[in-house]
Amino acid sequence: MNRDAQGQNQRAYLEMLKIAQGRLKNRSAEEIAEKTGLIYRREDGVFQAASMNQEYEISCIDFLCRQEIDQWFHLVLLHYMDLGDGTPVSKKLITFGEMKDGLIRGTKYDRTMDQEIKKFLKDKEPDQVKTVWKTLGAEFVSSRADLCAVFPFLPRFPLTVNVWFADDEFEATGKMLLSRTADRYLTVEDAVIVGDIVLNRWKEAWGRYHREDRA
């Protein structure tokens, strides 16, 4: 990304951050915590957010993060705090395209993510994938797929990935799915960002695993 594009990207982020902060400014911290599943520490004046074995603290005054955080994840987290309405997480699963307003953006992203998962799985053994995903807090559940991993991205916004490993005839493939209640916590635009964040965390975790395995 060149300098001009980086500047535009940063300006867009700061503008959206300002809007998100404004929407949260007069909200009750207790209400936000109740509706999102985040922990509110009154004595510290922060919300505690867990995401795939990483912890973040968000100030309830200016809604900035005390830790280093990817700026787009920061924005998604604030949107989650704003939109979350306390709806219990449904076990029924949907694609990105099945989200509200997801027909175009979400359907296109489903195809993109299918290809990204295929690339990630290429030449990896099942045990390697499970080991890497465990480091990100994945819970493995029974399903018709060869492997079904549930990633705790945010307390009420999990992502489920079904994987079919390679055999003599077919390449490994996978599908990323959302809870049917995803719309009650994030927009499809936010969900697409979440998918990219999760994919990047897989790649980072694989890099760490690969380095440790070769050491």
Side-chain angles (χ1 to χ4, degrees), residues 117-186:
I117 293 174
K118 182 182 291 188
K119 284 191 281 188
F120 177 79
L121 295 172
K122 186 176 176 61
D123 299 326
K124 294 181 178 64
E125 296 295 327
D127 285 348
Q128 292 177 318
V129 174
K130 288 188 71 172
T131 297
V132 169
W133 284 357
K134 278 182 181 178
T135 67
L136 300 173
E139 176 186 355
F140 302 102
V141 299
S142 61
S143 76
R144 294 180 180 179
D146 294 337
L147 181 68
C148 179
V150 181
F151 292 89
F153 186 78
L154 286 169
R156 293 177 185 160
F157 198 90
L159 287 92
T160 298
V161 181
N162 287 327
V163 172
W164 292 267
F165 289 108
D167 58 25
D168 293 338
E169 298 182 39
F170 300 102
E171 295 179 291
T173 60
K175 190 76 177 176
M176 183 178 285
L177 300 164
L178 307 168
S179 167
R180 186 171 290 279
T181 49
D183 285 309
R184 311 306 288 267
Y185 292 91
L186 290 175

Side-chain angles (χ1 to χ4, degrees), residues 10-57:
Q10 185 66 12
R11 286 193 294 274
Y13 162 71
L14 291 174
E15 182 61 31
M16 288 187 281
L17 175 63
K18 183 179 178 180
I19 293 170
Q21 289 170 312
R23 290 179 63 88
L24 291 166
K25 186 175 181 181
N26 296 317
R27 291 275 303 277
S28 160
E30 290 82 1
E31 178 194 21
I32 292 173
E34 180 182 355
K35 289 185 174 181
T36 61
L38 300 180
I39 296 171
Y40 172 52
R41 299 205 314 259
R42 181 191 296 272
E43 66 277 11
D44 298 328
V46 299
F47 295 97
Q48 185 176 326
S51 178
M52 297 169 63
N53 278 352
Q54 295 185 31
E55 296 283 342
Y56 301 91
E57 294 176 342

Side-chain angles (χ1 to χ4, degrees), residues 50-113:
S51 178
M52 297 169 63
N53 278 352
Q54 295 185 31
E55 296 283 342
Y56 301 91
E57 294 176 342
I58 303 292
S59 166
C60 69
I61 304 299
D62 56 15
F63 301 99
L64 296 178
C65 186
R66 290 184 173 180
Q67 292 76 29
E68 182 177 344
I69 187 171
D70 174 87
Q71 62 184 19
W72 298 108
F73 174 53
H74 183 199
L75 200 61
V76 164
L77 182 52
L78 298 192
H79 290 171
Y80 174 82
M81 293 166 67
D82 177 37
L83 296 174
D85 66 2
T87 301
V89 177
S90 172
K91 292 185 179 181
K92 293 183 179 180
L93 301 176
I94 61 172
T95 63
F96 287 81
E98 291 175 300
M99 289 186 71
K100 181 181 178 182
D101 301 323
L103 184 59
I104 297 175
R105 181 77 185 276
T107 300
K108 180 181 178 181
Y109 191 72
D110 283 319
R111 293 193 294 268
T112 299
M113 180 54 71

